[in-house]
Amino acid sequence: ETVPDVSYIFGFVWAGLMFASAVLNIVVALNFSVTTWSAFMSIYAIASKLGLFLIQYVVKLAITTRRHRTQAALAGC
């Protein structure tokens, strides 16, 4: 409830990642062997989503912390 604006933005970032993954999947599938394609997509699928999740977590945590500190400072005045 503290960062709905950031969650909204990350929704678009996730959609962009899914689109980029689809394009990358097509490029790799058409230009490399089936073995290479399956190995690459197995690793990329997990790594890209885990990486974005961690980025999202850290960003939202930092913004939430900053907003709480600002609200506490304003309430203390």
Side-chain angles (χ1 to χ4, degrees):
E1 68 188 41
T2 307
V3 288
D5 53 331
V6 178
S7 297
Y8 182 76
I9 292 168
F10 267 109
F12 287 107
V13 174
W14 278 101
L17 176 66
M18 296 304 117
F19 181 76
S21 295
V23 170
L24 187 60
N25 187 14
I26 291 170
V27 169
V28 173
L30 293 176
N31 294 312
F32 296 96
S33 69
V34 174
T35 306
T36 303
W37 168 73
S38 63
F40 175 77
M41 290 312 294
S42 296
I43 295 167
Y44 172 79
I46 294 169
S48 64
K49 285 149 191 81
L50 181 61
L52 183 55
F53 172 78
L54 292 174
I55 290 168
Q56 178 180 346
Y57 179 79
V58 169
V59 168
K60 288 176 77 173
L61 182 64
I63 292 173
T64 301
T65 303
R66 184 175 44 174
R67 288 182 182 176
H68 279 299
R69 287 180 183 162
T70 302
Q71 289 174 354
L74 291 175
C77 292

